[in-house]
Amino acid sequence: MLDPEISTEPHRTGELRRLLIFLLPATTAMYAAFNGVQQILVPAQVEAFDPGSKVGNLALITTVGALASMVALPLGGAISDRTRSRFGRRSPWIVVMSMLSAVLLLGMGQSTGIAMLAVTCAAVWFTANFYQGAFAAILPDRVPVARRGLAASVIGLGTPLGIMFGVNLASRVGQPWSYAIFGAVFVVTSVALVLGAREGSSADIVVPQRVPRRSSDAVRVFFQAFRSTDFALAFASRASLSLAYFTVSGYLFYSMQDYIGAEHIPGGDVAVAVSTLATISVVTWSVVATFTGWLADRLDRRKLFVGISSAGLALSMLVPILSPTWTGMIVYSFLSGAFIGTYFAVDLAVMSLVLPDKANEGRDFGILAVATGLPQVLSSVIAGALITLFHSYIALFAFAAVCAFAAGFIIMRIRAIC
């Protein structure tokens, strides 16, 4: 166990404020790269390489990338848990992995075929998610429990800002330049975070560990957090909500193109239409995220906020089914933005409060982050199968609605959090 006297939490208000100020642009840059690449750049590249096989090829690339992220997320948390340096546990990996990601993003922009795109995408997802594994541990490391709703709200605000910046940049700037800008901003904001809100030294922290003798014991120890019922429920709820979100968002480009129809979109430009919907969603998301985290802290009802937002997201998925029009998609974007904004403003705080082992918070937070990466794998396979089987994108929205409802039901069963 960690020495109970050792704490990296910035208890002084000024230190916490400075940390949150630098976390916001870093979070924004990370999600800008994730969403600009996933929602605009990769689908457009896949279609350009082979229009007739775009659905299957996108599912393949998304699956490969998500598998890489599933390995990298807990690995980044676990390795950073054990990193000892005068710069801290997380900061060295934040800097190194942001730089590697930037170089690999340039490689994605130069891809000349499906195979090269799949390899470079997997590499980017690995380094970027290793980064995220270390980055996410900042919340339990350095934010007091009483202020985690506020911190989660700030980080949650970075998500929609990143989506808005990412999809608008990717849809309006040339492909190579988009990749280069994403990489550059990723590095600059990461370095600014490390230098502007310095992490304390971890050189003197001692974490005694019993080394497992067998590989099966090592696996069991690595995943021992699942012995906690609340941790397991939090993982299941987050996975179900993420499955709902990625099943729809991962195929939004093709939904607009083939379900709504380019001829029914103002201007007929699918990429611009997707960025417009994303902008509507994230503006609503941003407005909601600015106060719901604070309100959840004030009322001490974080679990209730997550449950309501999950149910609301499920209802918003029904709008495109009932109204498969450009207007219907605008309404859907507004509603989904409001509910997903509420969810992400509180979700991280809930996740940080179910971590059962102080000495391995980075590892366990990374495992909870896999509840986002794993659905990406499943969503691409499920979405491709649903489209092929039903010959309609309605099945995507119906499936997502069921998953979102399930997420809300599961989260309400956690006992340790109000």
Side-chain angles (χ1 to χ4, degrees):
M1 296 293 290
L2 283 170
D3 186 327
E5 298 299 318
I6 296 174
S7 175
T8 57
E9 291 184 357
H11 291 289
R12 291 194 295 270
T13 301
E15 292 180 16
L16 179 59
R17 183 184 300 115
R18 186 163 58 251
L19 175 63
L20 296 182
I21 287 172
F22 284 100
L23 273 176
L24 180 58
T27 305
T28 300
M30 179 173 64
Y31 282 103
F34 283 158
N35 287 276
V37 170
Q38 180 177 328
Q39 294 194 44
I40 302 294
L41 295 179
V42 170
Q45 284 177 283
V46 167
E47 184 173 31
F49 291 144
D50 187 357
S53 303
K54 64 183 181 182
V55 172
N57 285 336
L58 182 61
L60 172 64
I61 291 175
T62 302
T63 299
V64 171
L67 286 171
S69 71
M70 283 169 43
V71 174
L73 274 166
L75 194 62
I79 291 178
S80 64
D81 279 340
R82 286 153 181 76
T83 297
R84 300 293 174 261
S85 77
R86 65 189 183 91
F87 303 107
R89 294 187 289 175
R90 320 301 176 184
S91 296
W93 296 109
I94 287 174
V95 172
V96 170
M97 289 302 167
S98 67
M99 291 181 176
L100 285 175
S101 297
V103 173
L104 290 166
L105 282 167
L106 291 175
M108 283 188 72
Q110 300 301 316
S111 296
T112 55
I114 294 295
M116 183 177 178
L117 182 61
V119 170
T120 53
C121 183
V124 168
W125 269 194
F126 182 89
T127 56
N129 282 279
F130 194 107
Y131 169 102
Q132 189 179 10
F135 182 89
I138 291 174
L139 182 65
D141 268 1
R142 303 173 64 183
V143 179
V145 172
R147 307 304 300 277
R148 287 187 186 173
L150 173 63
S153 184
V154 170
I155 296 173
L157 180 60
T159 305
L161 292 178
I163 294 173
M164 182 166 59
F165 172 69
V167 297
N168 279 284
L169 174 70
S171 64
R172 291 171 168 82
V173 179
Q175 176 186 303
W177 277 108
S178 293
Y179 279 113
I181 293 171
F182 285 140
V185 174
F186 198 9
V187 172
V188 169
T189 55
S190 297
V191 172
L193 169 63
V194 168
L195 297 179
R198 292 182 183 273
E199 182 183 1
S201 172
S202 64
D204 298 327
I205 298 179
V206 178
V207 185
Q209 291 284 347
R210 181 179 67 84
V211 179
R213 295 181 179 179
R214 296 179 299 179
S215 58
S216 59
D217 291 336
V219 172
R220 177 179 52 79
V221 169
F222 193 86
F223 292 102
Q224 64 186 351
F226 283 102
R227 294 178 180 177
S228 165
T229 300
D230 285 343
F231 182 91
L233 289 172
F235 183 95
S237 176
R238 196 181 210 200
S240 188
L241 193 287
S242 298
L243 188 59
Y245 179 75
F246 286 117
T247 299
V248 172
S249 66
Y251 279 76
L252 185 59
F253 189 95
Y254 297 155
S255 294
M256 295 303 300
Q257 186 177 63
D258 300 333
Y259 179 53
I260 302 301
E263 66 277 11
H264 299 133
I265 298 171
D269 191 322
V270 175
V272 172
V274 171
S275 68
T276 300
L277 294 177
T279 300
I280 293 171
S281 178
V282 299
V283 167
T284 309
W285 183 339
S286 301
V287 171
V288 170
T290 56
F291 68 87
T292 47
W294 169 85
L295 185 60
D297 273 349
R298 189 70 178 268
L299 299 177
D300 195 22
R301 303 284 295 187
R302 301 178 184 92
K303 181 175 68 176
L304 180 62
F305 275 71
V306 174
I308 292 174
S309 62
S310 299
L313 181 65
L315 292 174
S316 72
M317 295 292 179
L318 302 179
V319 175
I321 297 176
L322 299 175
S323 178
T325 64
W326 173 243
T327 300
M329 293 303 297
I330 291 176
V331 174
Y332 156 77
S333 298
F334 176 81
L335 293 176
S336 63
F339 289 115
I340 202 70
T342 301
Y343 179 86
F344 277 107
V346 183
D347 168 62
L348 286 177
V350 171
M351 298 300 115
S352 73
L353 294 173
V354 298
L355 302 177
D357 183 357
K358 180 69 176 177
N360 292 290
E361 286 185 331
R363 179 200 68 192
D364 295 341
F365 217 31
I367 290 173
L368 284 175
V370 170
T372 302
L374 178 60
Q376 284 185 272
V377 176
L378 298 177
S379 68
S380 61
V381 175
I382 291 171
L386 289 172
I387 294 170
T388 302
L389 181 62
F390 293 99
H391 304 288
S392 173
Y393 286 81
I394 291 177
L396 298 185
F397 294 100
F399 178 80
V402 172
C403 291
F405 269 122
F409 175 78
I410 294 169
I411 202 70
M412 298 306 294
R413 300 192 64 188
I414 294 179
R415 296 181 177 181
I417 306 172
C418 295

